[in-house]
């Protein structure tokens, strides 16, 4: 299960980010979570809402952007206003925030039609955004804990935009791959 997999991770402070006081870890691509996100109901739903009829247009879990566990549990943990960077071409690039658990007062805020919208994310819920499109933030934590998975779907055959690697790998010092090969389904 996803929760069992994330329990085994060692949390580290997030580096080079618009986030404040957030901890996290990178999931291993060989784990069950990657397989679930690559072929499960969320993968199918993303492809159905984007109406990807052909294999060339299918959205796939990125093998360039790691699946991150992100944890807000320290007072003040949150994220400043920002728009997620577009890392792949051609677009779209779909950013997913899957809330694992949340007993905090963290609120996700975004701008829609010039107005601020506010949402408390419930456990087992997903927030889905198109990269480069939605200005959003996470209001600073006062109490509790919020754990999410953050991951990216991109179009089959998309290319990682040169220089984009500075926006990923916030919880580790491993070298990153820069070639993207999305020829078909990921192997779990």
């Amino acid at each position: 299960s996803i929760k069992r997999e994330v329990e085994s991770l060692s949390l580290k402070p997030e580096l080079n980010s618009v986030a404040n006081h957030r901890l996290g870890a990178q999931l291993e691509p060989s784990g069950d979570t990657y397989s679930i996100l690559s072929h499960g109901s969320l993968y199918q739903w993303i492809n159905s809402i984007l109406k990807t009829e052909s294999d060339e247009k299918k959205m796939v879990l990125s093998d360039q952007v790691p699946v991150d566990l992100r944890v807000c549990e320290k007072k003040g943990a949150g994220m400043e206003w920002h728009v997620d960077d577009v890392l792949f071409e051609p677009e779209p690039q779909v950013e997913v925030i899957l809330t694992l658990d949340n007993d905090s007062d963290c609120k996700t805020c975004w701008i829609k039609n010039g107005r601020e919208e506010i949402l408390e994310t419930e456990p087992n819920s997903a927030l889905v955004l198109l990269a480069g499109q939605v200005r959003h933030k996470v209001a600073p934590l006062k109490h509790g804990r919020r754990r999410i998975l953050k991951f990216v779907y991109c179009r089959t055959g998309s290319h990682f935009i040169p220089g984009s690697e500075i926006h990923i790998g916030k919880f580790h010092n491993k070298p990153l791959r820069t070639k993207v090969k999305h020829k078909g389904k990921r192997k779990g």
Side-chain angles (χ1 to χ4, degrees), residues 167-183:
H167 299 291
I168 61 174
K170 308 284 186 188
F171 302 111
H172 71 95
N173 296 320
K174 296 178 187 174
L176 301 170
R177 291 194 329 247
T178 55
K179 286 190 175 183
V180 176
K181 293 183 181 177
H182 294 299
K183 301 284 186 203

Side-chain angles (χ1 to χ4, degrees), residues 46-58:
I46 293 290
N47 278 288
S48 72
I49 62 170
L50 292 176
K51 298 178 173 49
T52 55
E53 298 89 26
S54 68
D55 283 345
E56 295 83 36
K57 293 190 175 189
K58 282 255 189 262

Side-chain angles (χ1 to χ4, degrees), residues 128-171:
V128 179
L129 306 170
L130 290 174
Q133 303 283 319
V134 181
R135 189 168 181 247
H136 60 285
K137 75 172 187 171
V138 175
L141 174 108
K142 294 179 187 154
H143 67 273
R145 179 177 83 163
R146 174 181 181 246
R147 293 190 314 167
I148 65 164
L149 292 182
K150 169 80 183 284
F151 48 97
V152 171
Y153 289 99
C154 58
R155 186 153 327 272
T156 299
S158 63
H159 302 282
F160 200 60
I161 297 172
S164 295
E165 61 275 358
I166 65 168
H167 299 291
I168 61 174
K170 308 284 186 188
F171 302 111

Side-chain angles (χ1 to χ4, degrees), residues 110-117:
W110 68 94
I111 303 298
K112 180 179 178 183
N113 299 325
R115 288 190 21 221
E116 184 176 339
E117 301 280 335

Side-chain angles (χ1 to χ4, degrees), residues 7 12-13 28 37-39 50-51 53 66 69 73 77 98 100 120 131 135 147 157 171 179 182:
E7 293 296 335
K12 298 177 184 177
E28 289 297 324
L37 299 176
S38 294
H39 306 294
L50 292 176
K51 298 178 173 49
E53 298 89 26
L69 169 65
E73 61 184 9
L98 179 63
L100 301 176
E120 289 185 38
R135 189 168 181 247
R147 293 190 314 167
F171 302 111
K179 286 190 175 183
H182 294 299

